[in-house]
Amino acid sequence: MDVGRLRADTPGCARVAHLNNAGAALPPRPVLEAVTGHLELEATIGGYEAAEQEKDAIEHFYDAIAGLIGARADEIAYVENATRAWDMAFYAIPFAEGDRILTTSGEYSSNAIAYRQVAAAKGARVEVVPDGPDGAISLPALEAELAKGGVRLVSLNHVPTHNGLVNPAAEVGRLCGDHGVLYLLDACQSVGQLAVDVREIGCDMLSATGRKFLRGPRGTGFLYVRREIVPTLEPPFLDLHAAAWRAPDYVPRPDARRFETWERFVAGQLGLAAAAGYAAALGMDEIEKRVTALAAALRAGLAARPGTSVLDRGTHRSGIVTFTVDGHEPQAIRRIAREHGINVNVSNPAAHGYDPDAVPAAVRASVHYYNTEEELDRLLAALP
Ligand SMILES: *Cc1c(COP(=O)(O)O)cnc(C)c1O
């Protein structure tokens, strides 16, 4: 990987050591140009006219995202963020009284809130599958729960926001397949940093955001729904794009675009397509290798410092590194890093409500392939 060229292609690299890629990564120039170019076109010739002129490029979005995750174009929906993409799939599932929803301790709180809401409205039951010894979902425990029957949905995140681990998504997929149970994967933190292939994973639905490791614009995301189950999922909201109005009734679209709305951030959609193409051209395997290596180097550097604790769990680890420094609040460390031109974040305990091992707050440094070893050293040197 030609890191020098990739950094030259990333305007932000000249200004800051950006270690907040799990928050929002720095977009590369082609993404920036796709967004600003379309905003300018809209301002120059009119929004509808600009969309008409860029019709093919907008249509290419579906191929670009499908290509990145091993899906088919008709299985992709463009949604304004990962939360809404996930919601459109989750709230489309026809839950019944007593249905079991299985999730993990590292679940994202927005998803946990949705489970509770559906549990209250439909009488479904939410159950947290125990962790294995390394902190990831326990596959034997999951298998035992599936064997008891009554499971309507297995739903978890691929990479939690806060503890550095990667869940065994494909092994979970095999178990769900064996038991014929729906599988929803929140891939918000994995798409763009790990090679994600929906057929290999075996998920029925997958949500992701644009701005994190994918390096797309803020306010963008997408949903994948397996072609065979699209007809079984009626989205909670439908507009005249998602369904055809045939007075006095309507017919939902046959493809995944039933999960979309007509009105959208078109410039963002073009930017997200550019981001997907950029990642695919670099190669997701290469990206994963470099992100994993940089994160391992940072953990080793942190672990060697007295008074610094690396909190990450999992046998398979992501580009998200969490740590604390004795006697210093995570927010203070974030401020100190900022003063040194380094962006890190503080993980928010309210984002991962079920986790029994979560500390009240930790510094989160999340690396991307365009970061350098020198930037990691700068962070280590800046820490109190
Ligand atoms: C960030 C995040 C989300 C939410 O994504 P948005 O694009 O902000 O809606 C969901 N799940 C996980 C695991 C995340 O890290």
Side-chain angles (χ1 to χ4, degrees):
M1 204 172 258
D2 184 348
V3 176
R5 184 181 66 78
L6 295 167
R7 289 177 64 79
D9 217 12
T10 305
C13 283
R15 308 266 318 217
V16 68
H18 191 68
L19 302 174
N20 188 14
N21 295 290
L26 298 174
R29 208 174 289 282
V31 170
L32 190 59
E33 285 167 0
V35 177
T36 56
H38 193 75
L39 288 177
E40 284 192 22
L41 187 65
E42 287 181 338
T44 310
I45 68 169
Y48 284 29
E49 293 73 13
E52 207 175 295
Q53 184 173 314
E54 295 304 313
K55 193 167 164 284
D56 293 346
I58 295 167
E59 199 52 38
H60 173 69
F61 166 87
Y62 301 92
D63 295 313
I65 298 292
L68 184 72
I69 62 167
R72 294 172 287 215
D74 64 332
E75 298 174 314
I76 303 300
Y78 172 57
V79 188
E80 69 259 37
N81 56 56
T83 302
R84 278 294 172 268
W86 188 97
D87 286 343
M88 289 300 276
F90 176 73
Y91 285 98
I93 300 168
F95 288 102
E97 178 82 31
D99 278 352
R100 300 171 67 205
I101 299 170
L102 301 185
T103 187
T104 68
S105 71
E107 187 55 307
Y108 196 65
S109 294
S110 300
N111 303 351
I113 290 166
Y115 302 145
R116 290 306 306 163
Q117 196 182 38
V118 160
K122 306 267 186 77
R125 299 208 311 264
V126 189
E127 299 171 38
V128 177
V129 177
D131 297 334
D134 73 342
I137 185 172
S138 161
L139 295 168
L142 174 62
E143 188 159 24
E145 291 306 324
L146 285 166
K148 290 179 190 165
V151 179
R152 186 79 179 93
L153 177 73
V154 171
S155 176
L156 64 152
N157 54 36
H158 194 182
V159 172
T161 51
H162 68 294
N163 61 9
L165 67 78
V166 179
N167 272 311
E171 288 78 358
V172 169
R174 265 190 291 284
L175 291 175
C176 291
D178 290 349
H179 290 83
V181 165
L182 272 183
Y183 178 18
L184 169 56
L185 187 66
D186 175 343
C188 217
Q189 294 290 5
S190 57
V191 169
Q193 74 153 312
L194 305 178
V196 170
D197 184 297
V198 293
R199 308 272 168 234
E200 238 170 77
I201 290 173
C203 53
D204 297 296
M205 300 153 283
L206 175 147
S207 56
T209 200
R211 73 179 186 281
K212 295 181 180 173
F213 287 93
L214 199 45
R215 309 183 66 192
R218 292 200 67 171
T220 67
F222 69 85
L223 174 68
Y224 154 82
V225 179
R226 189 161 62 82
R227 183 186 282 171
E228 291 72 17
I229 66 159
V230 169
T232 70
L233 296 177
E234 179 156 329
F237 308 114
L238 290 162
D239 73 353
L240 48 61
H241 162 87
W245 176 239
R246 306 252 188 275
D249 209 350
Y250 63 89
V251 186
R253 280 184 68 119
D255 59 16
R257 293 189 214 182
R258 65 169 57 187
F259 299 97
E260 295 185 340
T261 48
W262 183 85
E263 177 54 4
R264 64 193 53 206
F265 177 29
V266 178
Q269 185 169 15
L270 295 173
L272 185 52
Y278 196 88
L282 280 175
M284 283 313 309
D285 288 326
E286 287 303 303
I287 291 173
E288 177 171 344
K289 235 185 283 174
R290 181 161 169 85
V291 169
T292 305
L294 282 172
L298 179 55
R299 287 189 192 101
L302 289 165
R305 295 182 86 250
T308 305
S309 309
V310 176
L311 307 174
D312 296 332
R313 311 204 58 200
T315 312
H316 182 187
R317 290 184 174 179
S318 75
I320 297 175
V321 178
T322 50
F323 64 94
T324 51
V325 179
D326 287 352
H328 299 274
E329 288 297 320
Q331 285 294 358
I333 291 173
R334 180 170 183 264
R335 258 194 319 276
I336 292 167
R338 270 296 272 285
E339 284 160 17
H340 286 79
I342 304 163
N343 291 343
V344 295
N345 203 7
V346 171
S347 69
N348 171 8
H352 40 82
Y354 297 134
D355 192 341
D357 299 320
V359 297
V363 184
R364 186 179 72 176
S366 44
V367 300
H368 218 324
Y369 57 79
Y370 57 74
N371 290 127
T372 62
E373 288 77 0
E374 185 267 335
E375 287 177 323
L376 304 185
D377 289 342
R378 273 175 57 197
L379 173 64
L380 293 170
L383 293 177

